[in-house]
Amino acid sequence: MSAPNASGWKPTAPQANDEAGPATTTGNRALMLEEKLIFEIGGSETTGVDLPEPRGDAPHRLGAQLRTGEIGLPGLSEPEAVRHYTRLSRQNYAIDLGLFPLGSCTMKHNPRLNEKVARMPGFLDCHPLAPVHTVQGALAVIHELGEWLKALTGMPAVAMSPKAGAHGELCGILAIRAALEARGDARQVILCPESAHGTNPATAAFAGYKVEDIPATAEGRVDLAALKARLGPDVAGVMITNPNTCGLFERDFREIADAVHAAGGLVYCDGANFNAIVGRVRPGDLGVDAMHINLHKTFSTPHGGGGPGSGPVVFSEALAPFAPLPFVEKLASGEYRLVEEETAEDHHARSFGRMTAFHGQMGMFTRALTYILSHGADGLRQVAEDAVLNANYILRSLDDVLDAPFGLSGPCMHEALFSDKGFAGGLTTLDLAKGMIDEGFHPMTMYFPLVVHGAMLVEPTETESKAALDQFVTAMRSLAERARAGDETLKQAPYYAPRRRLDETLAARKPVLAWHAPAAPAGMPTLSEQGGS
Ligand SMILES: Cc1ncc(COP(=O)(O)O)c(C=O)c1O
């Protein structure tokens, strides 16, 4: 192994005016270490591996592809590379460090058992083009997971191929369009309540529909009267998030669905928040025609972790014939078939087509099925109950110091919603969120949903203990009291993070996403000359 890279550490000038204590010569703060880019710490003269010189005619076989200069990748010894990524990981917040109030939408606890099963070679090495008779076990997993999703939602059909929640929404809306077109009905409007998730109107618009808003009531739910008044022959359907983004169950869902059906439309439910009701409510009983399920939110898979995520869609009888291909079918012989083509006798003869080139995301399917089988139906119901209990514990522990706009009208579902009402001295939700970083918590969802001023949406999820919730509540109470007292020091928070306040506008408007190599020594091509950045 070659000598360690000499170009790494240089003393940095002590930082002036540091309110969090005296500056250090390294820029490090206790055991939190400053970290440069890997291109800055790795030099081209160093490498972590010793490879023999190519022998024989190997270089000649490369022809014109033979490189004439350095490729410009940083060379590091193994410990340098390991330390670089470990230091970076310590500057991040993780679900394995503590409560993560962004909740299941971003990351909830992924049981280690899921990981063990997902890494079993038969699943891990499964290739989408493998002959079907060699992947019967994988097809069995896809089929069994689909059967669970149908049973838990009370819906007769399922499409397993969509690769995320938003992709599932598109799948559902395309099936709705195919069903309407099949009856020669060219309706053009999709209604989205204000309390719907942002992806809902985006999906409808992407699919070519005109999107119209339906207002929310003072209670944070769909305004039933306004929705009924807008229904008509141009309305293809509604997209409703239930439980909604205010963390509330849409109690009028059945009545809404009946009214939409009576007006000739179809009902899409954004089922991302199914984790709050799984085992207690079957959306099929509420009149839903299509609903996606975010496997990461309800069934504890990583959110698109290390590859595509998964957003299966369940369908009503009315939409089942239009569901996408391919799908897995269990034959009477007990074998599994992957149906890739429409056939005249097939009940999918009117499929709208494909969502993806290949069927499924094995890593997500194996994790989700492991989670389902390790909990069973009763355990899944308890998951939902614990998620709701934890959110209500937070709601009631904070509603005397933080305004809870819909808290008076009853309990919430899996998310507790607060507003910035009562903050003094020009302090904002952002200031409180920055203060949370100093208290050792990642901030919660902020400024969403839009129907609430300075919204703070906290989703603790089902796995947090009372001790963890109490610690979070203690930190939030102190921050809320400082915000109500107009404590100026919050405006400068965070004090203890590796970076203080960044310019959020510039970061969003002019992000610098590429690193450009400094001028190369004479004779050596720069990265950009080699097409790198
Ligand atoms: C209510 C809701 N709808 C849709 C989505 C979009 O899902 P995805 O991020 O998997 O595309 C999310 C995100 O988790 C969500 O919370």
Side-chain angles (χ1 to χ4, degrees):
M1 187 169 289
S2 17
N5 161 33
S7 67
W9 177 81
K10 284 198 198 83
T12 58
Q15 294 164 22
N17 211 6
D18 194 321
E19 293 159 58
T24 57
T25 47
T26 52
N28 297 337
R29 197 182 286 280
L31 298 179
M32 182 68 78
L33 307 180
E34 274 294 318
E35 191 60 10
K36 296 181 181 206
L37 296 182
I38 196 160
F39 285 94
E40 293 168 317
I41 55 176
S44 56
E45 73 282 7
T46 313
T47 174
V49 285
D50 286 331
L51 295 174
E53 287 298 318
R55 280 180 301 165
D57 63 350
H60 307 298
R61 295 213 313 262
L62 291 173
Q65 303 301 318
L66 192 64
R67 283 192 182 275
T68 52
E70 300 284 333
I71 61 171
L73 289 177
L76 293 94
S77 66
E78 185 172 294
E80 284 176 313
V82 170
R83 284 178 184 165
H84 172 72
Y85 289 109
T86 305
R87 285 177 191 148
L88 284 183
S89 77
R90 284 161 53 99
Q91 297 186 359
N92 208 347
Y93 191 76
I95 185 69
D96 292 340
L97 288 173
L99 186 150
F100 193 68
L102 279 172
S104 66
C105 198
T106 304
M107 181 57 72
K108 73 175 187 179
H109 177 66
N110 302 154
R112 298 304 185 263
L113 179 63
N114 296 359
E115 302 305 315
K116 196 171 173 184
V117 174
R119 284 168 177 70
M120 289 166 75
F123 297 135
L124 190 65
D125 302 336
C126 196
H127 192 279
L129 292 177
V132 163
H133 73 272
T134 66
V135 289
Q136 285 290 305
L139 296 182
V141 167
I142 301 176
H143 186 265
E144 185 165 351
L145 177 59
E147 292 300 301
W148 270 96
L149 298 181
K150 289 194 287 182
L152 290 168
T153 56
M155 308 277 285
V158 65
M160 300 296 288
S161 57
K163 296 202 186 297
H167 202 217
E169 289 175 32
L170 184 62
C171 172
I173 291 297
L174 292 180
I176 287 178
R177 189 168 72 190
L180 290 172
E181 281 173 359
R183 69 180 195 217
D185 199 347
R187 296 169 176 239
Q188 274 146 22
V189 177
I190 293 275
L191 304 179
C192 286
E194 277 180 341
S195 52
H197 192 259
T199 46
N200 299 178
T203 298
F206 187 74
Y209 283 104
K210 187 167 169 278
V211 181
E212 285 186 28
D213 270 0
I214 296 294
T217 62
E219 270 196 342
R221 295 185 169 86
V222 179
D223 185 331
L224 179 63
L227 184 129
K228 280 185 172 171
R230 179 57 191 88
L231 290 174
D234 59 336
V235 174
V238 289
M239 288 186 88
I240 300 182
T241 305
N242 193 27
N244 71 23
T245 52
C246 298
L248 302 172
F249 189 78
E250 294 286 356
R251 295 190 192 122
D252 295 327
F253 201 100
R254 179 78 243 187
E255 201 174 336
I256 292 171
D258 289 346
V260 173
H261 288 147
L266 290 151
V267 177
Y268 187 89
C269 178
D270 178 335
N273 297 333
F274 190 50
N275 55 322
I277 56 173
V278 60
R280 291 191 66 100
V281 177
R282 298 190 325 157
D285 299 335
L286 300 179
V288 170
D289 289 302
M291 180 181 101
H292 76 266
I293 301 163
N294 300 56
L295 291 189
H296 69 272
K297 278 179 71 82
T298 305
F299 301 114
S300 82
T301 67
H303 193 166
S310 186
V313 180
V314 283
F315 291 106
S316 65
E317 290 290 356
L319 288 188
F322 304 95
L325 295 162
F327 63 94
V328 177
E329 192 171 66
K330 188 172 184 181
L331 303 173
S333 63
E335 280 174 302
Y336 296 90
R337 174 169 92 102
L338 192 58
V339 182
E340 300 252 30
E341 312 271 335
E342 311 170 14
T343 55
E345 67 278 8
D346 211 314
H347 63 287
H348 273 59
R350 289 180 291 169
S351 164
F352 71 74
R354 277 177 184 258
M355 290 301 293
T356 60
F358 296 116
H359 192 65
Q361 299 70 258
M362 269 329 284
M364 300 300 126
F365 294 155
T366 42
R367 287 175 174 93
L369 187 60
T370 304
Y371 186 76
I372 289 175
L373 294 179
S374 60
H375 282 79
D378 287 350
L380 290 174
R381 187 172 61 245
Q382 194 188 335
V383 163
E385 289 170 353
D386 289 352
V388 172
L389 182 66
N390 281 355
N392 278 282
Y393 186 76
I394 287 193
L395 182 68
R396 294 303 166 217
S397 303
L398 293 175
D399 66 1
D400 58 330
V401 286
L402 280 177
D403 174 56
F406 308 122
L408 286 179
S409 57
C412 60
M413 297 302 293
H414 61 306
E415 294 171 302
L417 179 60
F418 303 100
S419 85
D420 62 359
K421 193 169 158 193
F423 287 12
L427 288 171
T428 62
T429 291
L430 184 72
D431 299 320
L432 185 141
K434 298 289 185 191
M436 287 173 77
I437 297 173
D438 282 338
E439 297 287 348
F441 289 105
H442 190 287
M444 67 267 126
T445 300
M446 293 186 291
Y447 298 106
F448 183 82
L450 304 176
V451 286
V452 167
H453 195 271
M456 289 168 266
L457 191 62
V458 179
E459 182 186 354
T461 79
E462 64 278 1
T463 47
E464 296 305 331
S465 65
K466 181 168 177 300
L469 296 176
D470 283 336
Q471 192 187 35
F472 178 75
V473 164
T474 305
M476 286 296 281
R477 286 190 70 82
S478 128
L479 289 165
E481 277 157 7
R482 285 169 65 192
R484 293 170 79 86
D487 180 347
E488 282 282 310
T489 60
L490 262 186
K491 285 199 170 147
Q492 303 299 319
Y495 292 86
Y496 304 124
R499 290 289 174 275
R500 302 285 305 276
R501 284 216 185 189
L502 305 179
D503 185 325
E504 315 234 344
T505 312
L506 272 184
R509 300 251 166 91
K510 292 189 180 169
V512 181
L513 301 178
W515 178 80
H516 294 286
M524 189 194 288
T526 62
L527 262 186
S528 50
E529 277 162 1
Q530 298 168 49
S533 62

